[in-house]
Amino acid sequence: AGSPEVVPTCERYAVRRLPFARLADGDVAFFERLMPGRVVTGEEVKPFNVDWLKSVRGCSQLVLKPQTTAEVSQVLRYCHERNLAVNPQGGNTGLVGGSVPVFDEIILSTALMNRIISFDKVSGILVCQAGCVLERLNEYLEQQGFIMPLDLGAKGSCHIGGNVATNAGGLRLLRYGSLRGTVLGLEVVLADGSALDCLASLRKDNTGYDLKQLFIGSEGTLGVITAVSILCPQKPKAVNLAFLGCQSFAKVLETFTVCRAMLGEILSAYEFMDEKCMELVERHLKLSSPVSDSPFYVLIETSGSNSTHDEEKLNNFLEQAMASGLVSDGTVATDDMKIKALWSLRERITEALTHDGYVYKYDISLPVGKLYDLVTDMRARLGQSAKNVVGYGHLGDGNLHLNITAESYSHSLLDAIEPFVYEWTARCSGSISAEHGLGFKKKQFIQYSKPSEAVVLMQRFKAMLDPKGILNPYKTLPSAP
């Protein structure tokens, strides 16, 4: 279907520009003196204004590329004094419109802040700048016998600072937990330019409030993350992957129960996708599945230190799953090439969806037993008005990715989806954003997951740390009354 025309965000969502200052020639001259050769203007700014999904677009006229925390500090101090709004941007792989401007905010790109500061092989603690690309970090760590504790489909372009700022989840959360547990420290520049050095490399530090947690998941609205200290696990010596077909979602759930009981400590991922996802991946990306004609597909990864032990456990599980009728077909991979090929069937679903037309994306946490009911109900509700309604995600974490495609953007279709999808989620005590954040697109729906008292407290934190509201405005929180 190709990419739809990208309508400016402010027009599509009828939002008003706040009374920030307008960029002047003197401002550009100041930044050019501060970081010569790293100030982007003119036509080269355009790609920074459009999100990865090509669903929203800003009107920034200036991109700054600092290399150090000191430069970020000077930029924000100047912008604070001038009342210029700033949009922090990492790899720009966000899915909720949080990484691009809404109006003419200055884009502060971390692309050149890509230095690894230190790595301790004994503790497994990595300290690096915020602009390091996730895949490059993982490649560096693998040479040391370690891995990053998170893995995402966008790993080839997303930045670790952006991952932390959005509290990204991804494919390894089942095994290694969330970034809130693995990030040990942060260096952050606040809105007024003051630098907060909480770049601790300690596993245990119980002195006062844990300030880093304020910035993890704050989506660039409270401060700009410039460096990260993160605990990295050792690289598993043995990795196995099973790609299975299940005839119903009930069997997907039961397979997970058996899988968790039999694989225990070596289970590192349990992902699912429906047959519509597989159709799109095969049609648009020309990938081929080794398992066919299943309403649902499950990807199970094990990671351990003893290949013989792990393979025996996995084979015992598969024998039981097949014998009991939970699994109708499947294949197992132990070599890197086949493992990557099987993972690509799951990781590239988002890419396949973008080829299917305009995509309405929802990232929901639900009780696992109800996870797919939302997809079924949405298909019934939308009928022929949608091109495809698909469901996939991290079943082990209770995280559903609901995606709806259409030939082009339609306000009437959006009205049919929202707020129905959020009301449905709230009735099940779920979260309207499991891992993508709220950004620009979802901020007005925060009340479906958080009580009003919590939202007011968040607005107070924002007002205290960013009194002029210059950091990533129009994002994450509804406007304070």
Side-chain angles (χ1 to χ4, degrees):
S3 299
E5 182 183 354
V6 190
V7 179
T9 313
C10 53
E11 292 178 19
R12 172 171 290 164
Y13 293 93
V15 61
R16 288 186 178 182
R17 185 183 185 276
L18 294 173
F20 297 113
R22 303 275 182 180
L23 189 69
D25 291 342
D27 301 322
V28 178
F30 170 82
F31 294 127
E32 285 177 339
R33 288 194 300 273
L34 178 63
M35 49 184 87
R38 290 178 281 123
V39 175
V40 182
T41 57
E43 288 294 304
E44 292 178 44
V45 175
K46 281 188 176 180
F48 296 89
N49 269 306
V50 182
D51 72 329
W52 184 80
L53 287 173
K54 294 183 169 58
S55 63
V56 289
R57 186 183 77 200
C59 310
S60 180
Q61 303 162 47
L62 183 69
V63 178
L64 304 177
K65 293 186 172 183
Q67 289 180 317
T68 66
T69 300
E71 287 179 344
V72 174
S73 184
Q74 287 176 277
V75 167
L76 289 186
R77 186 179 299 116
Y78 182 89
C79 290
H80 187 260
E81 289 171 358
R82 280 274 293 117
N83 197 33
L84 290 164
V86 178
N87 181 96
Q89 187 177 98
N92 195 15
T93 60
L95 301 175
V96 289
S99 56
V100 293
V102 175
F103 290 95
D104 56 347
E105 300 90 90
I106 294 169
I107 297 171
L108 182 65
S109 170
T110 57
L112 299 183
M113 300 185 71
N114 55 7
R115 186 168 59 87
I116 293 172
I117 298 168
S118 66
F119 178 66
D120 187 327
K121 288 186 179 181
V122 178
S123 65
I125 296 170
L126 171 77
V127 182
C128 64
Q129 286 186 302
C132 290
V133 173
L134 181 59
E135 191 169 44
R136 300 288 87 77
L137 288 176
N138 204 66
E139 289 169 356
Y140 167 82
L141 288 169
E142 282 190 342
Q143 295 171 6
Q144 322 288 325
F146 289 78
I147 59 171
M148 288 297 285
L150 75 157
D151 186 19
L152 310 171
K155 59 192 167 191
S157 50
C158 66
H159 296 182
I160 187 62
N163 297 150
V164 173
T166 56
N167 190 31
L171 305 164
R172 289 177 177 163
L173 192 139
L174 180 65
R175 177 67 174 272
Y176 300 117
S178 74
L179 285 171
R180 294 197 179 280
T182 53
V183 170
L184 303 178
L186 294 175
E187 182 182 66
V188 182
V189 179
L190 303 180
D192 64 359
S194 56
L196 180 66
D197 185 355
C198 291
L199 204 59
S201 295
L202 300 172
R203 294 286 301 275
K204 302 176 84 171
D205 178 9
N206 208 9
T207 52
Y209 305 134
D210 190 0
L211 294 178
K212 70 176 181 290
Q213 295 296 346
L214 264 182
F215 301 98
I216 300 173
S218 67
E219 303 186 65
T221 62
L222 299 181
V224 177
I225 295 170
T226 54
V228 178
S229 171
I230 189 165
L231 181 65
C232 303
Q234 285 193 296
K235 181 182 178 181
K237 293 184 174 65
V239 176
N240 298 293
L241 209 66
F243 194 83
L244 313 173
C246 293
Q247 293 302 307
S248 68
F249 190 71
K251 290 187 176 181
V252 171
L253 292 174
E254 199 174 340
T255 301
F256 176 58
T257 302
V258 176
C259 167
R260 193 166 46 178
M262 294 188 69
L263 298 180
E265 78 288 349
I266 64 170
L267 177 63
S268 53
Y270 191 97
E271 302 285 311
F272 90 98
M273 55 194 284
D274 63 19
E275 60 184 340
K276 288 284 186 184
C277 291
M278 185 62 78
E279 286 174 17
L280 293 174
V281 166
E282 290 182 325
R283 186 193 319 154
H284 295 303
L285 305 181
K286 310 304 179 190
L287 301 181
S288 58
S289 169
V291 180
S292 58
D293 300 324
S294 289
F296 295 93
Y297 299 90
V298 168
L299 188 150
I300 297 168
E301 183 188 76
T302 66
S303 304
S305 58
N306 187 316
S307 58
T308 305
H309 166 267
D310 293 0
E311 285 178 29
E312 183 181 347
K313 290 189 82 164
L314 182 60
N315 289 333
N316 288 341
F317 156 71
L318 292 172
E319 284 176 16
Q320 180 162 328
M322 295 289 284
S324 59
L326 294 177
V327 171
S328 55
D329 194 7
T331 186
V332 175
T334 54
D335 66 277
D336 284 348
M337 287 291 288
K338 190 175 179 184
I339 286 173
K340 285 179 180 176
L342 290 177
W343 262 120
S344 66
L345 294 171
R346 162 62 184 87
E347 288 184 317
R348 296 183 68 188
I349 294 172
T350 300
E351 181 186 348
L353 284 159
T354 62
H355 291 281
D356 205 50
Y358 186 86
V359 190
Y360 302 83
K361 303 189 76 67
Y362 300 92
D363 162 46
I364 308 291
S365 272
L366 289 166
V368 179
K370 297 180 181 292
L371 205 63
Y372 201 73
D373 292 348
L374 177 55
V375 183
T376 307
D377 287 359
M378 189 60 79
R379 280 184 184 146
R381 178 177 174 84
L382 299 181
Q384 297 300 309
S385 60
K387 191 174 178 183
N388 278 298
V389 179
V390 308
Y392 66 98
H394 319 295
L395 188 130
D397 310 326
N399 183 185
L400 169 72
H401 294 312
L402 169 70
N403 286 250
I404 298 151
T405 65
E407 290 294 346
S408 59
Y409 173 79
S410 161
H411 203 75
S412 61
L413 181 55
L414 182 63
D415 286 343
I417 300 168
E418 299 175 8
F420 172 82
V421 63
Y422 301 124
E423 292 168 346
W424 196 104
T425 301
R427 283 197 300 272
C428 296
S429 301
S431 168
I432 66 164
S433 179
E435 59 180 5
H436 292 169
L438 294 168
F440 178 79
K441 293 181 181 179
K442 314 296 181 189
K443 67 167 188 170
Q444 68 270 35
F445 300 112
I446 191 173
Q447 74 273 9
Y448 288 101
S449 290
K450 291 290 187 290
S452 59
E453 295 83 358
V455 176
V456 169
L457 190 57
M458 292 180 200
Q459 290 167 332
R460 287 177 182 170
F461 281 128
K462 170 71 171 172
M464 178 182 69
L465 292 172
D466 182 15
K468 293 186 176 182
I470 65 167
L471 285 179
N472 221 10
Y474 321 104
K475 315 284 179 61
T476 305
L477 295 177
S479 300

